Amino acid sequence: MERIDTSAVAHAILDAPGWARVGITAPSSCLREDAALELARVIADAVTAPASQMAEAQTSLPL
């Protein structure tokens, strides 16, 4: 069994939408569940996608 890189998971959590990170602490159970599903989706995508593919998906903002 392959071990999941905890660093990749941590970066995925930090890169997740802000509403999902805050939403897991919401008083509403529906919002908590939606937020947890979004975090799970972001983490699963980060763990299964190669690093080069993730870099291409990220758009740069003009300064």
Side-chain angles (χ1 to χ4, degrees):
M1 180 173 187
E2 187 178 325
R3 184 162 173 87
I4 296 174
D5 181 16
T6 56
S7 178
V9 173
H11 286 289
I13 291 170
L14 292 174
D15 290 340
W19 74 265
R21 290 183 282 144
V22 173
I24 60 172
T25 64
S28 166
S29 63
C30 293
L31 185 55
R32 283 193 312 267
E33 289 175 13
D34 289 345
L37 285 172
E38 179 65 13
L39 283 174
R41 185 193 62 75
V42 169
I43 293 168
D45 288 349
V47 170
T48 58
S52 62
Q53 183 181 5
M54 292 299 291
E56 291 173 7
Q58 180 70 33
T59 58
S60 61
L61 295 174
L63 295 178

